[in-house]
Amino acid sequence: DRAAAAALRSGERETAAGYDLNAAQREALFGNPLQARRLAEKALALAGDRDTKYGAGVTLALAGNSRQAAALADDLNHRFPEDTFVESCYLPTLRGAIAVQQKDPASALKELAGATRYETGVACGLLPVFIRGVAYLQSADGNHAALEFQKIIDHPGVVLNSPIGPLARLELGRSYALSNQQAKARDAYETFLQEWGAPTQGFPFSFRQRPNYKN
């Protein structure tokens, strides 16, 4: 909030929107959709540039507002038909996130294939990799999901302080559990909890269960 306020005082509306979207994406990924939507709408009220619309679209998709996310994707496609970032990173990620929220992992994987060439770069920030991993989990394919989340763990210089960094370890544990690799699952969960700052003994029973990603 302080960073966004300082940017606004300097007349940097797009920068302020970017700070709000960073917070919005964290809320969406951590399971707080109402806060995520509020911050995304706040960002859109501040700026309408390419990056703001993409960030808001992904946030809204992750927060369950697929209709508005799809509208933002269509707008980006219409306004920037020859923009490499838009066509090869932003739109595949955005449409993949929408498909995941609609419980359509096959469509998500198809859309995300368009981001493969650029997904480990700073512009994509490995977000399409994370969403692809979730799509594989929805497909009950723990082995392929684990490969995607491991990519995130292997690229800390790209992840930086993005929330998908610690969450990749949580989802890696779920991937191993789904593929009946219980020892690896426990190690991944314990590493996640250590990085998160939580106790590693007696962690919640639900972590040890195979998550039902289809519901």
Side-chain angles (χ1 to χ4, degrees), residues 71-121:
L72 288 168
D74 290 343
D75 181 67
L76 286 171
N77 189 43
H78 175 73
R79 291 175 57 194
F80 305 100
E82 298 181 0
D83 188 306
T84 299
F85 281 164
V86 170
E87 297 299 323
S88 299
C89 176
Y90 290 2
L91 288 178
T93 306
L94 182 44
R95 289 170 174 162
I98 292 169
V100 162
Q101 281 301 312
Q102 293 175 338
K103 308 301 181 186
D104 186 357
S107 293
L109 292 171
K110 182 178 179 180
E111 294 288 354
L112 290 164
T116 304
R117 185 177 179 184
Y118 298 98
E119 62 192 16
T120 57

Side-chain angles (χ1 to χ4, degrees), residues 9 23 25 28 77 119 123 133 139 146 149 151 158 161 165 178 180 182 192-193 195 204 207:
R9 286 195 297 271
Q25 189 178 106
N77 189 43
E119 62 192 16
S139 302
F149 296 123
K151 287 180 191 176
V158 178
N161 66 343
L178 192 60
N180 294 315
Q182 301 304 325
F192 163 71
L193 290 170
E195 292 192 352
F207 274 8

Side-chain angles (χ1 to χ4, degrees), residues 11-83:
E12 299 289 341
R13 296 176 66 85
E14 293 178 4
T15 301
Y19 290 133
D20 285 332
L21 288 173
N22 286 339
Q25 189 178 106
R26 284 196 299 272
E27 298 290 357
L29 288 167
F30 294 163
N32 300 313
L34 292 179
Q35 295 93 321
R37 292 173 193 168
R38 178 182 62 80
L39 287 164
E41 294 290 352
K42 181 183 175 187
L44 287 171
L46 288 173
D49 62 294
R50 178 196 69 173
D51 294 345
T52 298
K53 289 199 171 186
Y54 162 67
V58 170
T59 297
L60 291 168
L62 295 172
N65 191 340
S66 297
R67 170 182 273 183
Q68 190 173 359
L72 288 168
D74 290 343
D75 181 67
L76 286 171
N77 189 43
H78 175 73
R79 291 175 57 194
F80 305 100
E82 298 181 0
D83 188 306

Side-chain angles (χ1 to χ4, degrees), residues 171-192:
E171 301 297 352
L172 181 63
R174 289 172 170 165
S175 302
Y176 285 140
L178 192 60
S179 55
N180 294 315
Q181 300 182 70
Q182 301 304 325
K184 287 185 175 181
R186 176 173 290 277
D187 287 344
Y189 286 142
E190 290 182 348
T191 301
F192 163 71

